[in-house]
Each structure stands twice: as C-alpha cells, then as structure tokens.
Amino acid sequence: VVQSHVSPAPPIEPEAGRAPVAFGDLLRSRIGGFALLRAAAVGLATALGIELYPDHPIWPAITVLLVLRPRAGEALSIGVLRTLGTFAGVVAATAFVAVSGDSDVAVALAFFVCAYLMIALQKVNYAVFVLFLTAVLVLSQDLLGADADAAAGQRLAATALGALISFAALGVGLWMVRGPSDAGGTPG
C-alpha cells in the first residue's frame, strides 16, 4: 500500500523587509492609478460602443484594453499600428467582397486564408496581425448574411474611437502624474 502525504502549502510571506500591500496603498500606487484610469476608459468606450455601434458595441472597449498601456510610447505605437491594420483590413476585405460577387465559396476561402495568415504572421508585425483579424471579422459578417460594408465601417470607426479614448486617457494619466506644465498644458 502506497501512502501519500500532502502537506498544506506554507503561508505566503512578504519579501524580507516589505510589508504586505494594503488595498489603499495599491490605489495610491502608479499601477493602481493606471488600473483605475484604464477601467474608466474601458467603461467610457463600452458606453459609447453601446450607443454608437449596437451591432458590435464591444469593439471600442477591446481597442482600449489592447492599446492603453502604462508606458506612453508603447501605447502610442500599439494604437497607431492597430488603427492602420484595421484600415488596411477594412479596405482589403471590402474590396474582396465587392469583386467576389455572391460567391460564398470565394468568401469562405478568403476567410480561412486570412484566419491562417492572422495566426501565422502575428509575430511579424502587429499591424499585419490586425489587418488579417479585421479581414476575418468583415468576411465573417458577409458569410453570415450581414452587411459587410456596414460592419467594416463600424469596425474602422470603433477602432478609431477606442484609440482616441486610449490616447486621451494616456494624456490624462500623464497630466495627473506630471502636472499640467510637464504634460503640455499651461504652466501653473
């Protein structure tokens, strides 16, 4: 008979010389402040998405979640690449739908090719990944019998809105951390 003895895990102790983090300390920390700012930006994007894009209300919020980062340069880069990739994907997918006529087979084949390329090329460049992601979303709308042109327009507008909300939140965050004179405002 084999006996197994599993002892309970020891309690997690804070690092030597460090006290446990209290919730209030977290809220006052840079990451806690960023988390609150990001939550507010996602909330705003969700509310606007529900109002402006009832068929795809979550698209602006997804953009905020993916774009808004603690580091300003990274957020700006991701925001620009996401917007450019979305624009290119909208153009490519709507052009393909227009020239394919009513051929569901051609659109389905393009859907699978774009889905493959989205994954295969995701590490090449974020804009390339988003191009194929957007093409998949637009082509899927056509396959479902929805208006692919309307979905493409909403995708582009929702992505731009999410990027703008992210950039505005980034500006607010910089202003809160550095003060108005360091963030481009008027000296106080």
Side-chain angles (χ1 to χ4, degrees):
V1 174
V2 176
Q3 290 185 340
S4 171
H5 176 67
V6 178
S7 60
I12 298 174
E13 298 293 328
E15 292 180 34
R18 297 186 83 180
V21 176
F23 186 69
D25 293 337
L26 178 63
L27 290 177
R28 288 185 292 275
S29 71
R30 282 186 166 224
I31 195 65
F34 173 76
L36 287 173
L37 184 66
R38 189 182 217 188
V42 168
L44 175 61
T46 301
L48 289 173
I50 290 168
E51 185 64 31
L52 298 172
Y53 314 109
D55 293 336
H56 309 284
I58 201 66
W59 282 350
I62 289 172
T63 297
V64 170
L65 285 170
L66 295 173
V67 169
L68 191 54
R69 311 283 175 104
R71 295 188 177 140
E74 186 179 359
L76 292 171
S77 175
I78 293 291
V80 168
L81 291 173
R82 185 166 187 82
T83 303
L84 291 175
T86 298
F87 178 76
V90 161
V91 170
T94 55
F96 185 84
V97 168
V99 299
S100 68
D102 291 332
S103 175
D104 286 343
V105 172
V107 174
L109 182 60
F111 173 90
F112 286 111
V113 168
C114 288
Y116 170 79
L117 291 172
M118 176 183 71
I119 300 303
L121 300 175
Q122 71 180 339
K123 299 288 185 187
V124 172
N125 180 285
Y126 186 64
V128 172
F129 166 76
V130 174
L131 179 155
F132 289 111
L133 170 66
T134 299
V136 163
L137 293 171
V138 172
L139 294 170
S140 70
Q141 294 300 296
D142 187 70
L143 288 171
L144 293 171
D147 185 349
D149 289 336
Q154 286 186 13
R155 172 76 176 164
L156 185 57
T159 298
L161 176 62
L164 288 173
I165 290 170
S166 297
F167 296 157
L170 189 61
V172 168
L174 289 172
W175 180 80
M176 290 173 66
V177 170
R178 297 182 181 162
S181 62
D182 288 342
T186 58

